[in-house]
């Protein structure tokens, strides 16, 4: 007798999140895969043939995976686009780096706040961050993200790429997009937590 699949709670992450995390690790290890994904940074989803395998792995797993087990049919286009752009952005971020640049819990707003503090010219990160938040299309937001990611790479600032992909997959929903904008904006403006060193000087404990 076939056992019915266990129902997933709305609070559980979608199954494709774990598959995407695996592909991010694969990019860390495989220079050829990283190069292929970088070639996709200025293309539409699935236009770069060498990205088909990692994208398919995120959406479909392998030949033993049931159809739509990871991504429901109605979400496939959005998740495909989000996965394509996320892998391309990450491959650019990781270029020439010895350590992974995907780090859980570092939202786009959090990373932009770190960038603002690191850059010598004040306001540069804020301007680009605001432009990304005002984008209402996937092509527009990813254009701004490419610029931000290049700066994150320069200043060794990591980012939660699974969370970013989840946001991109929801970007075409105005209500969900506005919710993300509010959360990222709060993360950008949030005062860093302080700790006290032995000499009594406060330090920023948010530098993961």
């Amino acid at each position: 007798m076939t056992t019915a699949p266990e129902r997933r709670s709305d609070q559980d992450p979608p199954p494709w999140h774990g598959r995407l995390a695996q592909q991010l690790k694969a990019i860390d290890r495989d220079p050829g895969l990283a190069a292929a994904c970088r070639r996709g940074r200025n293309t539409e989803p699935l236009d770069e043939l060498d990205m088909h395998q990692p994208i398919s792995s995120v959406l479909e797993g392998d030949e033993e995976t049931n159809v739509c087990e990871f991504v429901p049919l109605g979400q496939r286009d959005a998740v495909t686009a989000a996965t394509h752009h996320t892998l391309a952005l990450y491959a650019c971020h990781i270029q020439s780096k010895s350590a992974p640049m995907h780090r859980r819990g570092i939202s786009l707003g959090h990373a932009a706040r770190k960038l603002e503090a690191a850059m010598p010219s004040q306001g540069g990160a804020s301007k680009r961050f605001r432009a990304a938040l005002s984008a209402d299309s996937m092509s527009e937001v990813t254009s701004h993200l490419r610029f931000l990611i290049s700066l994150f790479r320069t200043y060794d600032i990591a980012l939660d790429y699974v969370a970013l992909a989840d946001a991109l997959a929801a970007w075409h929903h105005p209500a969900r997009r506005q919710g993300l904008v509010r959360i990222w904006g709060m993360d950008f403006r949030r005062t860093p937590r302080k700790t006290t060193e032995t000499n009594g000087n406060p330090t920023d404990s948010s530098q993961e």
Side-chain angles (χ1 to χ4, degrees), residues 19-100:
R19 304 289 301 190
L20 176 59
Q22 292 176 15
Q23 290 305 309
L24 296 174
K25 291 180 180 179
I27 289 174
D28 290 332
R29 298 189 300 264
D30 186 344
L33 176 60
C37 290
R38 280 194 294 273
R39 290 196 296 272
R41 65 187 180 276
N42 293 316
T43 69
E44 292 298 313
L46 301 180
D47 279 0
E48 174 53 53
L49 294 179
D50 290 336
M51 291 186 71
H52 284 195
Q53 187 279 325
I55 292 173
S56 177
S57 180
V58 173
L59 270 68
E60 301 176 356
D62 53 37
E63 61 184 10
E64 301 299 325
T65 307
N66 293 328
V67 176
C68 300
E69 180 176 331
F70 293 149
V71 182
L73 185 60
Q75 300 175 16
R76 285 180 66 85
D77 287 348
V79 175
T80 297
T83 299
H84 169 93
H85 292 298
T86 298
L87 294 177
L89 289 168
Y90 185 67
C92 292
H93 197 165
I94 201 66
Q95 188 173 14
S96 302
K97 296 293 182 184
S98 59

Side-chain angles (χ1 to χ4, degrees), residues 36-171:
C37 290
R38 280 194 294 273
R39 290 196 296 272
R41 65 187 180 276
N42 293 316
T43 69
E44 292 298 313
L46 301 180
D47 279 0
E48 174 53 53
L49 294 179
D50 290 336
M51 291 186 71
H52 284 195
Q53 187 279 325
I55 292 173
S56 177
S57 180
V58 173
L59 270 68
E60 301 176 356
D62 53 37
E63 61 184 10
E64 301 299 325
T65 307
N66 293 328
V67 176
C68 300
E69 180 176 331
F70 293 149
V71 182
L73 185 60
Q75 300 175 16
R76 285 180 66 85
D77 287 348
V79 175
T80 297
T83 299
H84 169 93
H85 292 298
T86 298
L87 294 177
L89 289 168
Y90 185 67
C92 292
H93 197 165
I94 201 66
Q95 188 173 14
S96 302
K97 296 293 182 184
S98 59
M101 288 288 105
H102 164 57
R103 190 168 301 164
R104 292 182 60 185
I106 307 297
S107 74
L108 184 65
H110 187 172
R113 172 164 57 81
K114 288 185 173 186
L115 179 63
E116 182 78 354
M119 292 180 66
S121 58
Q122 294 300 307
S126 176
K127 181 179 179 181
R128 185 60 62 168
F129 177 65
R130 288 174 182 272
L133 265 57
S134 67
D136 59 8
S137 69
M138 179 73 79
S139 60
E140 186 180 0
V141 71
T142 53
S143 175
H144 293 301
L145 285 173
R146 282 194 291 272
F147 191 88
L148 276 173
I149 295 305
S150 70
L151 292 173
F152 292 162
R153 176 176 172 273
T154 298
Y155 289 94
D156 289 319
I157 297 171
L159 180 66
D160 188 334
Y161 274 87
V162 174
L164 180 65
D166 199 53
L168 292 178
W171 204 254

